[in-house]
Amino acid sequence: MRTERNLTRLDRVFARLDREPERPAHIDVPKMSRHRVVLFAATLAFYLAIVWAVAITSWLVRFDWQVMFFRPYQQWPEIHAFLDYYVVLGQRGPTAVMVAAWLGWRSWRQHTLRPLLTLGASLLLLNITVGAAKLGMGRLGPHYAITIGSNEMGLGGDIFPSGHTANAVVTWGILAYLASTPRARRWLSALSAVTSLGVGLTTVYLGTHWLSDVLLGWAAGLLILLALPWVEPLIARAETGLFSLRDSWRARRGRTAPAPAPAPAPVGAPVMVTQPASADGEVPARETAAAARSPRAPVYLAPGPHTARSERTPVTPVGSRRPPHSDRVARGTTAAASARPMTGS
């Protein structure tokens, strides 16, 4: 009796992927709705409020110093080893490689460049905005603080806002932004928010950032995600241009491909040699007479260019190949005639 093989979970996953369309039409591109505009404006106001609170050395700066003097890494040393690995989720290099690998597979599967182009655009905006804010405000970190109670701004530092936090928001939030269903978008949004806040608080625990750095980094990353619908037309234009460039390159490559060379004749195939006619179309009389004297079949030679005998290079060198021998007797002479007289001493 024939029984069907039970499908494993992995088999069901690949079977579902095989049913997935190449260019899914149900994945909508997020638009800049009124709700998103309100969230963007509120986040921008929060961003500016944090900057102003730190610039005027308000209660937020005093709270930063209190947290720094509390030294969380000394209060809970048992979680220090775990958080040293957890903070990697906010580093730009490892996270970008992991997310790019997943989005690259998704781009290949769906035959679209939008996931990779969206990731590239978000990381570009992140480097420009966060990098400019870091260099512009120049705040020193807790380990390099000089004056107790000051905001430590304008001293050449580069920790305000927190790059780890902003990078975690953008890198993991882009997965929620590109989700294909509303349910997946909600779950991934919550997961990315918790992950990014955890990375930011880990930097506070390790003493590399102020608490206000983490708040500003979280707002900076959220601003980039909320502003991505404004960049979508440029992403679509770039995708169309790249596909057009690929198609033109393929067409040019097919047009300039060399024609296939004719198959060479086999080595043993004979080639018939015919005598050229004169200017008036008659065969020379000498050749006609020779043909009349020797009524043989036409001559067949091996294929390839042929030259006259006088033009060919001699096969053997001129002269004899044998080395000269003084004691050798030439033909037609006797041994007595060739013998030399012996002279006595």
Side-chain angles (χ1 to χ4, degrees), residues 10 103 130 152 189 227 248-249 262 301:
L10 186 61
L103 294 181
V130 175
E152 301 296 320
S189 298
S248 62
W249 179 75
L301 299 177

Side-chain angles (χ1 to χ4, degrees), residues 156-181:
D158 57 351
I159 54 101
F160 186 64
S162 170
H164 275 70
T165 308
N167 183 73
V169 172
V170 172
T171 306
W172 302 113
I174 203 71
L175 299 179
Y177 179 82
L178 295 172
S180 57
T181 60

Side-chain angles (χ1 to χ4, degrees), residues 90-138:
Q91 290 184 1
R92 194 162 306 164
T95 56
V97 170
M98 289 187 289
V99 175
W102 165 254
L103 294 181
W105 181 85
R106 183 175 170 181
S107 296
W108 173 80
R109 180 67 188 176
Q110 298 176 350
H111 297 274
T112 176
L113 294 177
R114 180 174 171 262
L116 285 177
L117 291 176
T118 305
L119 176 63
S122 61
L123 292 180
L124 181 62
L125 290 175
L126 175 68
N127 291 331
I128 293 175
T129 56
V130 175
K134 283 175 174 287
L135 297 178
M137 288 180 276

Side-chain angles (χ1 to χ4, degrees), residues 5 22 42 58 72 102 139 177 185 194 196 201 209 236 292 298 343:
R5 183 175 65 90
E22 291 185 350
S58 65
W102 165 254
R139 191 182 188 187
Y177 179 82
R185 187 175 294 116
V194 172
S196 58
L201 294 178
H209 278 287
T343 58

